[in-house]
Structure formats: C-alpha cells, structure tokens
Amino acid sequence: MDEEIFVCRCEEVTLREIRDAIRSGHTTLSELRRLLRVGMGPCQGRGCREIILREIAKQTRVPIEKLYPAKFRPPSKPVPMGLVKNNGV
Amino acid sequence: MKTDVLVIGGGPAGLCAAIEAASFGCKVTLVDESLALGGQLIKQTHKFFGSSDEFAGIRGIEIAKRLNEEVNNRRDRIEVFLNTSAVGYYPDEKLVSCMTAEQKFFTIKPEKLVVATGAFEKIVPFPGNDLPGVYGAGAVQTLMNVYGVVPGKRVLMVGAGNIGLIVSYQLLQAGVELAGIVEFAPKIGGYWVHAAKVRRLGIPIYLRHTVKRALGEKWVEGAIIQAIDEKGDWKGEEKKIECDVICLAVGLSPTCELLWQAGCEMEYVSELSGYVPKRDETMRTTHPDIWVAGDASGIEEASSAMIEGKIAGLSVAYSLGRVEEFFFKERLAEFWEKLNLLRGGETSQKIKIGVEKVLLKKDDRDNCLDIQRYAQARSESQIIQYDEKFLSGVLNNQMVESVLPPEALWKNKKGGLVIVECPQTIPCDPCHTNCPTGAILPFDNINDLPKIDYSKCTGCALCVASCPGLACFVVDLTYHEGEKAILKLPYEMLPRPEVNQEVLCLDREGNAIATGKVIRVQEPKKDRTLVVHVVVPRKLVNQIRAIRVIKNG
C-alpha cells in the first residue's frame, strides 16, 4: 500500500521509494534529496521534510532530534530567473 | 534599501513587533506575503481566550483590524510591503532578498531583523491523500472565512487540537455537515470548551482513531478510519465515513528557513512542534542581529505570539539605543509576567517545557534578566484524568453535579443562576470581567477555574454572552408555568431563532431530547453571540445545552 502514498507532493515521490532508498543506505536527508529530489520542489520540503526525517529515525533508530534536516539555501521559494537577472543581488 | 528594523511576517507576532519597535522611534519595514496584514487572525471568527487586559473575548478578525489601525497610525515609521515574500538571508552581507508578486525582486539591509514567519501545516501520509478534497485546515478557513466558499458538503476532520475543533465549529456555522472528528491521541488536544461546543451539536469525536485511507477515484468520496492501540498499530474494525472532504488539522511546524540560512543555532523540540531557534529572554537568537517571535519560535497561541512580538520589538529598539535600560527591563519583566500567565494552564505545560529546552540562560549570555523570578504562574499541573466521554468534551454525570448552584437558593431565584461548565485550567477571564454584580469572583490567576458567589448572581447572562468557550448558561427555575424552566444559552448558528418559535433542545452530545419555546433573543455584546431564552422541561435543565432551529417544511 506504501506505493500509493505521496510524501513529497511537489516532486511526486512515494513513501515506498523513500523507504527503499533509506533501506539501501541513504540515511540522510541530503542524500535522499539528491537521489529522489524529495523536498526540492516549489515548497522546498515544507510538507515532507518531517515525514521523511521520521522515516529515517524509525529505520536508523536515531531519534529525530539528532538528525540533520539538510542545508537550507536561498531562495526558500521559487524566484523567476528573469527577476534575479534584472535586479541582481 | 536600508532600514532600522525589518519585520518578516505580518501576523499577530510580526504586527506587535513592528508596532512596539515603531513606538520607540525605530524606522520599521514590514513584509508579508499575503494581500492583507493580520496573518491567520483574519480567518479567526471565534473569540479569543487570554486576559481581558489584552484581547480576551474579542474575535480574531477584530483583533486583526485593531492591530492594522495601530500600524496605520504609525505609517510615518512603518513601511509595509504586502504580497512580498522574504526568500533568502545572506549572512555575509546581512541582506534579505524579497520578491513582490513574482514581479519585483529586491534586497533589504536591516540593522536588526525580526523573523515572525509563523508556521505551515503538517500533513499525514495515507493512501489517497493526493485526491482533490483533502485539505489543510488553514485552506478550509481561507476558503470559508476569507472568500465565503464552502469546501464541500460533508467533512471528516482529522485532529482535535484547537485548530481542528475551531474549524469544525466554523464549518457547522457555515452550514456544512461534519461527519466527525478523529484524534490520534487518547484525549482532545485543544481546549475542552472548544470540544464541548461541537459535541453538543451532535458531532462525534473518535479518540485514538485516525484516517486510514481516502476513498474515491478522481476526488474524495469517503474515508476509512480505524482505531489504534497504544503502540500506534491498527486495532478493531475499519469504519467507513461518508464525506467529500477530509480536512487535516494535525498540527503546524514553525517556518524557519531564514533562520537556518542565517546560521542561527536550531534545535528540534517536539513540545514546540519542530525545529526552532535557541533564543534568550529578549527573543534574540544566537545571531546578534536576529530576533524571533510567534509560531516561528514554537507553535503556540496567537495571544502569546502577540506578547512575544512585543518582547522582540522592545528588545530590538533597546539594542538600537532607543530605550533606556531601566525602562526596558521593567517593560520586559511586565511582558514576561503576562507570557507566564498565559502559559500557566494545563494545556500550556508542554510549551513551558519546550521553551526551557531552547532558552539561553544567564550562564550562556551576559546581561540577561532572570525570568524565573517572574515565572509566578502555577507550576503544579492539574491534568484531569476522567472517562473517555469527558476526554472528548462531554461532562459526565458526576461533574454535572459539581457545577450546579445550591438547590435551596436556586429554586426561588427569579432570573436564575449561572452554571459555568469550564473544567480545565486555561488562561481566560471574560466571565469575571463582564460580570456586573461581582458574582463571578476575581481570578488570582487567570488560569484558575471560575469561582461563583451565587448570592450575587442575578442571572443577567452577560457571562453567557461573553464567554469565548460558550461555557456559561443560566437556568431560571421560577418560571410560572408548571413543570417548565427558562434556560438562557449562547447561540452563534444560523438561522437566528425567533421569539415564540419551537426549537429542538439538544443534550451535551447533540441528542434531541425535547422541544422548547423561544421567549427572548438578545445580543448583549453586539458581537454576534446571541443569548437565547428558551422555555424547556424543568426536569431536563441539567441536560439541555444547545438548541437547533427547526427548519420549515
């Protein structure tokens, strides 16, 4: 039933894909982001970050408090490239 | 552009921070991603709890208006950017990048920054959670209370915290059917009185239950719920719920991307519902130029968010040299006293534990105020452990006895006597502050349960009109006609009952147990809470707690 559950709705990643990846050794959110693109869509992981961290915590038996939620980089919301080009930072 | 103070987020915390900082002469820039200031307040049609010195008894939407006015009165010092998101913090340059309406991209370089970015909704994974018809509670509130659109015909609410309970009540007010509320925990998480309000309108709360999957191909056509045991495993039979909307009110997470980007020390604190920044008693994070306030510092109530906002605004002004040290310390202490009072009730115990985990103490920093000295609020918690009925918002028989007035005085008292069904220590005092005769005694601590001097009660029902939890009732046993009595109860539904109309009388679980006749309809506070006087069978006065207008035809 796991395959029907979308955890990352932006990038359409399912609970099964995430569980499989953790099981095969990708036990940090950074790795999962690179591998599956979870949390890399428009909402930047707001919806799925905690669910994924809980899955990692469950499988690795490391409490969620001790896990690192991956690097946060600007922009935290999609910005059209044209705007940045015209205004610069 | 440059500014003294940049406040990110125009909800209760951000507005209060901006107003406070501006009142000391700081030049403030306030950015908010919505089209109007107020944050979630603009969707809150219910009356707030807390102290009457602040905003208790006033609807959230009204509080938003008042804060907006205060901002407008200071427009010479507060510049507002609406429809504008702060999307990045660049620590080396101390720059905040902003975007307005996906059309304009610009940067702000503030001397000091207050992050009051609020929260976002958690979701729960279950099969079918991507179907149209699965909503977050915030979306449902926005649809209904901002745009006047109902989300569907029949709703299953997931979560019985304050948001789940309040939105359930609002759905009923909007005329939407509610199939029930499922709650993962063995007791409701929100205020007991909020649960009682929906229970007496016939809405079941399934404790230790959750949604197992959504039904339907193209949209939600139902839901399967099931009980769970102590370990969180499925238990018992599946139950099918007829609904076209599944509304998720399973909690919020603090929005703190910018704080991470700024390099603030963060910690996952389950009591505060997620990652939050470490902060001192002035709400300053480990970054010397960044403060935090409101839900971004940990999920709590809007009433405490407003005080945190004031603390941050005051402290920012102090750090810019706009406030004398003596005055600063005095005012800071005052704010902490209020904050500790708000956190003094049983539902706030976990907040206190959570804050303790991330509060930077005197040992960590210099010049800190000893807030423990001001933590005078009750520390002993009075967690009530009763039966399942009580834990889902229904008084059990033994407790009903304990809230009734003394029989001898009651039976001959013209006008009746008050009954207050408020069994949980929460910060709230409008029943006392609105009592014109002093019958509802002053609170030593606003978290105390109301105490009543029945000899002074005239049955005027001003408490009925002003209680944010709709937990006050008046029963007059002196009605002249035979086996009848008058019940004065609060009413916030449609249609408005008319004098001489027959209405259904509902008990605490929403069962229609009698019919009654409306003899008077008042609106004492002119705030859309009606007090309806209904003639009901005398023997049922201790059971009837709501009415339903019988629809014609």
Side-chain angles (χ1 to χ4, degrees):
Chain A
M1 198 150 64
D2 292 355
E3 65 262 46
E4 299 164 51
I5 305 176
F6 288 100
V7 171
C8 172
R9 295 187 286 189
C10 300
E11 297 287 329
E12 298 189 345
V13 185
T14 63
L15 188 57
R16 181 173 56 95
E17 289 175 273
I18 292 165
R19 284 184 173 159
D20 286 350
I22 299 171
R23 224 169 275 136
S24 50
H26 305 286
T27 53
T28 65
L29 189 54
S30 303
E31 283 171 272
L32 294 171
R33 293 211 305 189
R34 289 182 171 88
L35 194 70
L36 303 171
R37 284 199 55 79
V38 284
M40 301 284 274
C43 91
Q44 289 288 294
R46 283 188 180 184
C48 63
R49 185 180 301 120
E50 196 160 323
I51 298 173
I52 298 169
L53 287 172
R54 281 190 195 288
E55 282 301 320
I56 296 174
K58 227 188 282 176
Q59 284 199 34
T60 60
R61 294 170 194 275
V62 177
I64 189 164
E65 290 83 355
K66 304 264 185 245
L67 294 174
Y68 177 62
K71 180 92 178 162
F72 288 78
R73 296 181 181 86
S76 47
K77 202 174 169 177
V79 176
M81 285 304 283
L83 288 188
V84 184
K85 195 190 89 186
N86 296 335
N87 296 274
V89 176
Chain B
M1 59 176 277
K2 287 186 176 179
T3 185
D4 288 350
V5 182
L6 172 62
V7 178
I8 303 174
L15 285 171
C16 286
I19 293 163
E20 181 78 10
S23 70
F24 291 106
C26 302
K27 179 181 180 292
V28 179
T29 306
L30 175 62
V31 304
D32 188 86
E33 61 181 11
S34 311
L35 298 172
L37 291 177
Q40 299 300 307
L41 287 175
I42 64 167
K43 311 173 193 173
Q44 308 309 327
T45 52
H46 65 284
K47 291 180 183 174
F48 272 50
F49 295 80
S51 164
S52 296
D53 294 340
E54 308 280 322
F55 292 111
I58 300 172
R59 298 187 195 281
I61 189 163
E62 191 58 38
I63 299 173
K65 279 186 203 151
R66 293 190 192 185
L67 294 177
N68 251 302
E69 266 167 38
E70 289 201 48
V71 168
N72 284 332
N73 293 341
R74 295 177 176 81
R75 272 298 162 114
D76 54 329
R77 288 184 218 140
I78 305 178
E79 189 178 13
V80 179
F81 289 87
L82 291 174
N83 205 1
T84 300
S85 307
V87 294
Y89 184 85
Y90 300 86
D92 294 341
E93 298 86 359
K94 296 188 175 175
L95 273 183
V96 177
S97 57
C98 297
M99 177 175 62
T100 302
E102 296 197 6
Q103 284 170 5
K104 206 177 146 215
F105 189 74
F106 61 103
T107 55
I108 300 176
K109 190 175 172 111
E111 293 286 320
K112 310 288 171 191
L113 175 63
V114 179
V115 175
T117 42
F120 56 92
E121 293 186 285
K122 290 187 205 272
I123 56 170
V124 276
F126 57 88
N129 71 344
D130 56 325
L131 285 173
V134 179
Y135 287 87
V140 166
Q141 276 196 314
T142 305
L143 272 178
M144 278 199 307
N145 303 348
V146 181
Y147 298 108
V149 176
V150 291
K153 291 194 176 79
R154 192 172 155 87
V155 177
L156 171 69
M157 182 64 66
V158 183
N162 272 334
I163 296 179
L165 296 171
I166 288 167
V167 175
S168 293
Y169 185 71
Q170 292 172 356
L171 282 160
L172 293 169
Q173 287 180 305
V176 179
E177 276 181 52
L178 204 62
I181 303 173
V182 289
E183 168 56 52
F184 192 86
K187 59 177 267 190
I188 48 160
Y191 291 167
W192 188 91
V193 285
H194 276 317
K197 276 185 344 192
V198 292
R199 294 289 274 127
R200 71 173 82 110
L201 295 172
I203 307 307
I205 296 181
Y206 303 96
L207 296 174
R208 265 199 212 287
H209 273 71
T210 192
V211 57
K212 195 170 187 185
R213 63 180 172 272
L215 303 174
E217 285 296 316
K218 292 188 169 160
W219 50 78
V220 173
E221 291 172 38
I224 298 293
I225 66 168
Q226 197 175 352
I228 37 193
D229 62 19
E230 286 77 3
K231 284 187 227 145
D233 294 326
W234 299 112
K235 182 179 119 178
E237 299 276 297
E238 291 186 348
K239 184 174 164 67
K240 190 184 170 194
I241 300 286
E242 298 287 341
C243 61
D244 62 348
V245 170
I246 297 172
C247 181
L248 302 179
V250 292
L252 303 169
S253 299
T255 306
C256 45
E257 286 97 338
L258 296 172
L259 297 166
W260 281 102
Q261 290 169 13
C264 300
E265 267 183 60
M266 305 292 286
E267 203 165 304
Y268 187 94
V269 181
S270 59
E271 291 87 352
L272 301 177
S273 304
Y275 288 97
V276 292
K278 292 189 175 176
R279 81 300 295 260
D280 65 14
E281 79 298 328
T282 75
M283 299 308 288
R284 195 199 307 232
T285 66
T286 53
H287 188 300
D289 295 321
I290 301 182
W291 281 254
V292 68
D295 276 357
S297 69
I299 306 303
E300 213 184 329
E301 296 295 317
S303 43
S304 39
M306 289 188 268
I307 295 177
E308 285 181 343
K310 288 180 194 172
I311 291 175
L314 169 74
S315 307
V316 161
Y318 175 65
S319 75
L320 288 168
R322 305 287 167 89
V323 189
E324 294 290 327
E325 185 178 351
F326 173 76
F327 184 74
F328 163 70
K329 286 197 166 167
E330 206 174 56
R331 196 163 166 82
L332 183 61
E334 228 171 79
F335 288 147
W336 268 100
E337 203 169 324
K338 288 179 178 172
L339 200 49
N340 282 321
L341 270 177
L342 285 179
R343 289 173 177 163
E346 66 180 69
T347 56
S348 297
Q349 293 306 309
K350 67 172 186 146
I351 302 290
K352 286 171 96 172
I353 295 167
V355 169
E356 190 62 27
K357 288 183 182 173
V358 281
L359 193 69
L360 300 164
K361 297 287 169 49
K362 247 191 161 82
D363 316 349
D364 306 327
R365 296 174 79 102
D366 299 328
N367 300 321
C368 280
L369 182 88
D370 183 8
I371 64 156
Q372 293 311 320
R373 261 175 44 217
Y374 301 95
Q376 49 147 304
R378 65 198 310 141
S379 55
E380 84 279 16
S381 76
Q382 294 187 346
I383 313 285
I384 303 173
Q385 303 265 344
Y386 287 106
D387 58 358
E388 186 152 318
K389 206 165 145 182
F390 179 81
L391 295 175
S392 71
V394 177
L395 277 195
N396 55 32
N397 294 336
Q398 163 208 350
M399 296 200 65
V400 170
E401 292 293 318
S402 72
V403 298
L404 298 180
E407 184 73 36
L409 187 64
W410 195 14
K411 66 183 177 196
N412 296 317
K413 183 89 176 190
K414 282 229 174 301
L417 289 175
V418 66
I419 295 171
V420 185
E421 303 196 350
C422 179
Q424 187 184 40
T425 58
I426 56 174
C428 192
D429 66 2
C431 57
H432 160 66
T433 55
N434 282 277
C435 179
T437 64
I440 297 182
L441 301 174
F443 292 91
D444 292 334
N445 177 317
I446 55 168
N447 294 285
D448 289 344
L449 302 182
K451 291 189 198 74
I452 303 156
D453 178 351
Y454 291 102
S455 68
K456 289 186 181 160
C457 180
T458 60
C460 73
L462 276 178
C463 54
V464 179
S466 55
C467 171
L470 306 189
C472 297
F473 306 86
V474 169
V475 173
D476 182 351
L477 297 175
T478 66
Y479 191 64
H480 51 85
E481 239 176 68
E483 294 302 301
K484 303 276 187 184
I486 301 170
L487 177 62
K488 305 176 192 176
L489 44 74
Y491 185 86
E492 295 184 332
M493 293 287 148
L494 288 171
R496 189 188 164 108
E498 304 291 336
V499 172
N500 288 328
Q501 197 172 18
E502 288 261 304
V503 290
L504 285 178
C505 298
L506 312 177
D507 67 9
R508 292 183 182 81
E509 291 172 87
N511 302 305
I513 52 172
T515 56
K517 192 174 147 192
V518 176
I519 54 166
R520 198 168 171 199
V521 180
Q522 297 172 288
E523 192 184 346
K525 307 279 292 179
K526 302 289 170 257
D527 64 356
R528 299 187 175 200
T529 300
L530 304 181
V531 175
V532 182
H533 300 220
V534 193
V535 174
V536 301
R538 185 184 167 126
K539 63 178 195 293
L540 295 174
V541 288
N542 297 337
Q543 272 88 59
I544 298 168
R545 285 298 173 265
I547 54 163
R548 179 173 295 144
V549 173
I550 303 166
K551 286 185 185 131
N552 295 328

